Every structure is written in structure tokens, then in C-alpha cells.
Amino acid sequence: MRTGPKQVLILGGGFAGVYTARCLEKLLRSEEASITLINRENYWVYQPMVPEVISGSIGLTNVVSPIRRLCPRTNLIMREVEDIDLKRQIVTISPGFRPRQLELKYDHLVIALGNITNFHGMPGMIENAMPFRTLADAIALRNHLIHALEEADVEEDPELRRRLLTFVVGGGGFSGVEVMAELNDFVRSVKRNYLRLRHEPHRCVIVQAGERILPEMSEPLAMFAQRILRKRGIDIILNDRLKAATSERAILQSGTEIPCKTLISTVPSALPQVVQKLDCAKERSKLLVNAHLELKDYEGKVWALGDCACITTAAGTMVPPTAQHATREAITAAINIAAAVRGGNQAEFGFEGLGTLGSLGHGAAVAQIGSVTVSGLLAWLLWRGVYLMKMPSLNRKIRIAADWLLHLLFPPELAQTKVAVESGIRNQHFEPGDIVFQEGDLGDSVYVIEEGECQALRERKGQRELLATLGHGEYFGEMAVLSDRTRNATIRACTAMNVLVIPKADFDKLRHSVPLFGHVFSELAQRRAEAGPPHSSADPGMPAGGSGGNSSHAVLFRR
């Protein structure tokens, strides 16, 4: 029986996760509960304002807040969630700098991992469509837009120039409309800086599966939004959807093809893989919870919030995936977790929503507060006022207000904030005595020796046993990668050594895409496994007959 503070584990750093942590800090003392939050980033993103990053009306870092400042009593772990064991009450998170997984035991768990973009069954979308869900997506899109304009300015081929100046957004909900509104404003504003594009038309297209855009709002407001966007030159294609894509065009369900070099998708979405594989009750492909937001069959132990949960209010209304609902869900969950820790009455989730707001950019918006509808400039001022007020820190409120003022006075910035993305396959240098990886580490890469030598060692009764010495042209590490097991030997450089590092994801792509590559490695791995001790169990991947350089793996890399 574990004593001491209860371990509360929160998965996800969106509205639901961060606000749950903030509420728990107020409700529970440190001696009652230890709160830990797992998130890929160390910041929380104010999602409604992310589209404004595209046009530069808000600075990149001003739509984010450090989680450690928002939740000072919460332990933050910046890792990926890899597995959730509901029966054993253990969450496994990804390795950090050292390739070792970490298992965290919990007493109470909050699952708030949101959704991910899902292009399953849509050929070419993964390779050619840009998702828009995160701050990184917004930065990547802004950089891509500037690059497309730079290329269009020097392009002689009129057909290619038209493709470069055509921008397509799949999805006409809030995200799609706000992204397109900001994109159109940005392109229209900065085009005047390009000598050859000043009088060149650009084309913006929204593709919406329904009969109108903004299905979340009343029909009069949606129709107002359609009129405003069309007046600004944005094409709206209704009752159609994206079906596939190539690097040259977007292909719709109806068979229509739109030549373009920029395709953005705000739909569809799905549960993260770690949530999909949970063996628990689901409804509408989401985690099924009761009125207390407890996961079915795990009441008092597990709560699910936000986009990944199927939530119904006390009045029987399905809860939409919006920030205002997520923050109220967090309050309800925090009250119920506090009740589970120290006893007390539970709360039911009954929030029906205060209204909806949607920006159309360029001084226009639509708003619906209860039965009152507002559109145009007044709605735009209301949109900005409400979201600025809801920003959780005074620091960020002042910065955003200053950004908005400067944006009115000066033209948008045109500089790219480029981040070079290198290939996963890379070179690495080791000095004598350096450890490449340790016995027990996860198999995350395969290594090819370009220069130098290393030793394969294994712990035996407190002593390190030498298994083999490997040199130029040889490789090691593939056994653990192929078998998804941990390393069963330590590799130590015995001279200055240069190696080629092939990460597991790239290695898997190569062996699945190039059958000969995969066949040779699988065949050799099998031979080594059958070779007998000590080489049969040595992960480093030396040839079955020793460490000579004439084995078939050396031939593979020389070809």
C-alpha cells in the first residue's frame, strides 16, 4: 500500500490538461497530491489566436505561455506518451536524450491528449497537404507562403506562377475559415513588395463538405461570412471534399482538380494512436465518459477530457471540441479528483456554452452570444476583446495588445523564420572511451562505421566481457531495431571513430521500400541469432564468423 501524496497524472498540455492542473493546484495541498503533466512542448498554446501568426498580427511567442509559470506546483515532463496501461495504472513515456523509456505509476489519471490529423484513405495528402493544428504548423505555413511568393516572383512559366499563387484550404469550419481569412489578408498585403506580383491575381479556395461554411453557427451568420469572404475574392466550393493530392494539384471528391502548390487541411482528425489502442469503452470513436467525466469502468481513477472524449452534458447535449467547454471540463474533473483524494461531493458537467465567435480577418467577424447575433466590425471588436480577456497572464495580454496596435500602424513582416530540417540520417564522431549506447537502451538506430574501431561489451557478474571488436565498413545495432528489443550489449569506441547513424524510422523506410536492403539485414540478423554464443546474443551486429570485413553486410554498403 503506497503512502504519501496521491499521484495525479495529466496527459496533454492543451486547454483541458493545463486548466485541470491549475484547478488542482488550488483545490489540493502538496501533501495531498503530487501533480504531473506530460506534454510534448513546455508551453501551452492559446489556440484561437494561432491563425493570426500566419499574417504576423501576433508575434510567434505571444500566443504561447510556459506551462511551468502557469502551473508552478505541477511537475512538467516534456515527453511523448507511448502507452497507457489502465489495469496496472502505469503510463509509459518516450525516451529523452538517453534511449530509455520511463514508466510512471499513478493513482488518478486525466487523459486530455486531443486529436491528430488523419489522412488515412486520402492518397498523397500526407506528403503534400499541410495540417493546421499546432503553433509549429502555423510557422511552417507562414514560411511556405513567403517561399511560394518568392518563387512566383522569379518564375517565367505563367502556369507554374498561377499554381504558386493558388492556396487551397480543406474544411470550412472555424479553423478553415480563420486560416483562409488570415492567409488571404497576408498575401494581399505583402504582394505589393514583389515587383512582378503587384498586379498578379492570387486565388484562395475553401473546400467545404457541407451546404455552407461555419456549420457551428446559425445560418444567417454563416451566410454573412460567405458573402464577406467571397467579396474579398475567396472561392468557396460547397458539398465537396478533398479526396487526394499531388505536388501539383488538389483532387476533390467530385473529380474537380485545382492546380496549386499550397494545400492546407484542417480536417479530418482522429484519436492519437496511444488512445485508439486503449481497451476501454468508446463511442463515436472517442473515449466514453459519464456525467462526472470518468472513463467508463474506471470510475474514480481515470478521467477523459477535451477532443479525445465523448462527453454529454447533464441535459443530454453532445459537447463540441471548443476551448470554452474544455476549460469547464477541467474544472469539473479537478473537483471530482479532489473528491476522490479527500472525499466530498462530485460535480456533474452541465455547461451548455455561452456562444461562438469566429474571425473573418480584416476587421470583420461573426458572433453568436445566446440568442443574440452580431456581425461585422462590432463582432470583430468583441472577438478580440473576449479572447484578450481570456488570455491567462497579464504579460501576454499586454504583448498581444501591443502586437495588434503595431499591426494597424505598420505593414506585416515579410521575413521567414526558417528552421532547417536535416535528414534523420546523420554523421557522428566518437572519441576513445565514448559510449555509443548502453546495454538496456532502446534500439533507436543502426550504426555504420566509416572510420575507427569500437568494442562490443556485455555485463557478466559485475564484469564487462568483450564480445567483439568492430572496424571500418561494419555495422551494429540492427538486432534491437529489427526485434524491437532493448540493447543487449554496450558499444564503446576504442579509437577515434566516425559513424553513419540511421534512425529506426529511416531504417524501417529503407527496408520496406527497398526489398534487397531489408532482405539482407533480416537474413544476417537471423544468421547471427543462430550462430551460437557469444555472437548469437550480441546486438552489435558483427558478422557471424567474427569481425572481418568480407561479410555480406560490407558488400551491401559498398554497392
Side-chain angles (χ1 to χ4, degrees):
M1 182 79 177
R2 193 165 63 226
T3 58
K6 295 292 185 182
Q7 300 299 313
V8 179
L9 197 54
I10 301 170
L11 311 183
F15 275 93
V18 167
Y19 273 78
T20 300
R22 283 164 65 88
C23 292
L24 285 172
E25 287 184 1
K26 296 174 184 176
L27 294 172
L28 295 172
R29 300 185 303 273
S30 5
E31 57 268 26
E32 291 180 303
S34 172
I35 306 164
T36 301
L37 189 147
I38 315 295
N39 194 48
R40 288 176 299 181
E41 295 89 16
N42 71 344
Y43 56 82
W44 165 80
V45 182
Y46 197 52
Q47 205 69 36
M49 290 184 176
V50 171
E52 294 202 56
V53 171
I54 300 170
S55 62
S57 59
I58 295 180
L60 296 179
T61 59
N62 293 341
V63 294
V64 302
S65 294
I67 293 174
R68 294 185 187 279
R69 289 182 183 162
L70 291 175
C71 311
R73 274 185 43 218
T74 297
N75 302 307
L76 174 66
I77 301 179
M78 204 173 72
R79 301 274 185 91
E80 293 266 7
V81 177
E82 294 197 336
D83 187 62
I84 303 170
D85 191 328
L86 297 174
K87 297 279 193 281
R88 295 169 57 219
Q89 294 183 215
I90 289 176
V91 170
T92 304
I93 59 176
S94 62
F97 279 107
R98 187 174 181 184
R100 295 272 175 113
Q101 287 179 319
L102 182 63
E103 290 188 344
L104 302 176
K105 186 82 176 169
Y106 66 82
D107 295 297
H108 304 288
L109 177 68
V110 177
I111 303 174
L113 289 169
N115 277 340
I116 59 171
T117 302
N118 175 30
F119 290 135
H120 179 71
M122 303 171 75
M125 292 290 284
I126 291 176
E127 299 86 352
N128 301 297
M130 303 182 72
F132 192 89
R133 303 185 71 82
T134 67
L135 181 63
D137 293 339
I139 297 169
L141 176 57
R142 176 183 166 82
N143 285 334
H144 172 82
L145 293 176
I146 295 171
H147 183 62
L149 292 171
E150 296 287 351
E151 289 298 313
D153 190 52
V154 299
E155 184 54 55
E156 299 293 342
D157 181 358
E159 184 57 41
L160 179 53
R161 192 185 307 121
R162 275 193 293 273
R163 287 200 297 273
L164 287 164
L165 293 175
T166 299
F167 311 97
V168 180
V169 170
F174 278 125
S175 293
V177 167
E178 289 178 351
V179 167
M180 181 54 85
E182 293 294 332
L183 185 157
N184 186 49
D185 285 353
F186 177 69
V187 172
R188 192 180 297 278
S189 298
V190 302
K191 236 180 14 173
R192 68 190 68 167
N193 297 110
Y194 296 88
L195 295 177
R196 301 178 63 191
L197 299 184
R198 287 176 180 174
H199 306 293
E200 192 82 18
H202 70 278
R203 185 186 181 199
C204 291
V205 184
I206 294 176
V207 181
Q208 166 66 351
E211 295 182 351
R212 60 180 174 89
I213 61 172
L214 297 178
E216 305 93 338
M217 305 201 84
S218 65
E219 187 171 350
L221 284 179
M223 299 310 293
F224 171 83
Q226 283 186 190
R227 287 196 301 273
I228 288 288
L229 294 177
R230 282 177 169 152
K231 187 177 178 181
R232 292 179 186 168
I234 297 173
D235 293 341
I236 300 174
I237 299 176
L238 301 173
N239 297 312
D240 211 340
R241 66 180 70 221
L242 289 171
K243 175 186 175 184
T246 70
S247 61
E248 302 294 322
R249 62 191 184 277
I251 303 167
L252 309 188
Q253 192 81 46
S254 63
T256 302
E257 295 187 357
I258 307 173
C260 65
K261 284 289 188 179
T262 304
L263 174 59
I264 306 147
S265 176
T266 58
V267 291
S269 61
L271 290 180
Q273 188 60 38
V274 68
V275 179
Q276 285 186 36
K277 65 183 183 181
L278 282 178
D279 184 16
C280 63
K282 296 187 181 75
E283 188 171 306
R284 304 187 184 190
S285 300
K286 296 185 176 185
L287 302 178
L288 181 61
V289 298
N290 60 20
H292 306 296
L293 306 184
E294 298 164 309
L295 188 64
K296 191 176 185 311
D297 299 327
Y298 295 93
E299 290 81 359
K301 296 292 182 185
V302 183
W303 288 258
L305 318 177
D307 297 359
C308 68
C310 180
I311 302 172
T312 308
T313 66
T317 309
M318 290 299 301
V319 175
T322 65
Q324 61 175 315
H325 288 86
T327 53
R328 269 73 173 194
E329 291 162 21
I331 295 169
T332 302
I335 291 170
N336 293 334
I337 292 169
V341 170
R342 64 154 77 114
N345 295 327
Q346 286 189 306
E348 289 190 357
F349 184 75
F351 180 68
E352 299 290 344
L354 298 174
T356 51
L357 297 163
S359 173
L360 305 177
H362 207 63
V366 285
Q368 184 171 341
I369 312 298
S371 59
V372 178
T373 59
V374 187
S375 58
L377 178 61
L378 180 60
W380 183 72
L381 293 172
L382 180 65
W383 181 90
R384 286 203 156 180
V386 167
Y387 282 128
L388 187 64
M389 182 178 64
K390 289 183 176 296
M391 194 73 187
S393 71
L394 180 61
N395 178 347
R396 288 299 185 269
K397 286 175 181 172
I398 293 172
R399 288 173 183 269
I400 288 170
D403 282 343
W404 281 340
L405 176 61
L406 292 172
H407 190 68
L408 290 174
L409 299 176
F410 302 105
E413 288 291 341
L414 192 50
Q416 281 183 306
T417 50
K418 235 176 182 180
V419 179
V421 179
E422 297 181 0
S423 167
I425 300 175
R426 65 192 186 280
N427 294 95
Q428 199 164 345
H429 176 76
F430 295 93
E431 286 292 311
D434 285 351
I435 300 297
V436 180
F437 56 70
Q438 295 269 17
E439 187 175 347
D441 287 351
L442 290 174
D444 59 348
S445 299
V446 175
Y447 300 79
V448 184
I449 302 174
E450 296 179 325
E451 289 181 75
E453 291 185 344
C454 63
Q455 295 174 328
L457 308 165
R458 179 173 300 131
E459 289 284 341
R460 282 289 178 271
K461 298 179 181 178
Q463 299 293 321
R464 277 189 168 171
E465 170 192 354
L466 177 64
L467 299 177
T469 299
L470 308 176
H472 169 70
E474 297 186 290
Y475 60 89
F476 56 90
E478 87 292 342
M479 292 287 283
V481 170
L482 287 168
S483 61
D484 280 326
R485 293 199 302 263
T486 56
R487 309 286 192 189
N488 51 25
T490 295
I491 297 292
R492 182 178 65 194
C494 50
T495 68
M497 184 172 69
N498 293 322
V499 299
L500 183 71
V501 184
I502 309 174
K504 185 178 188 300
D506 295 291
F507 182 78
D508 286 341
K509 271 186 189 175
L510 283 169
R511 69 192 185 94
H512 289 134
S513 302
V514 185
L516 178 62
F517 183 93
H519 176 72
V520 170
F521 271 98
S522 299
E523 190 179 70
L524 286 172
Q526 185 176 353
R527 281 213 308 270
R528 289 173 196 141
E530 296 169 352
H535 299 142
S536 64
S537 58
D539 168 70
M542 68 287 288
S547 61
N550 295 323
S551 57
S552 56
H553 71 277
V555 174
L556 173 68
F557 284 106
R558 283 201 293 266
R559 284 180 179 172

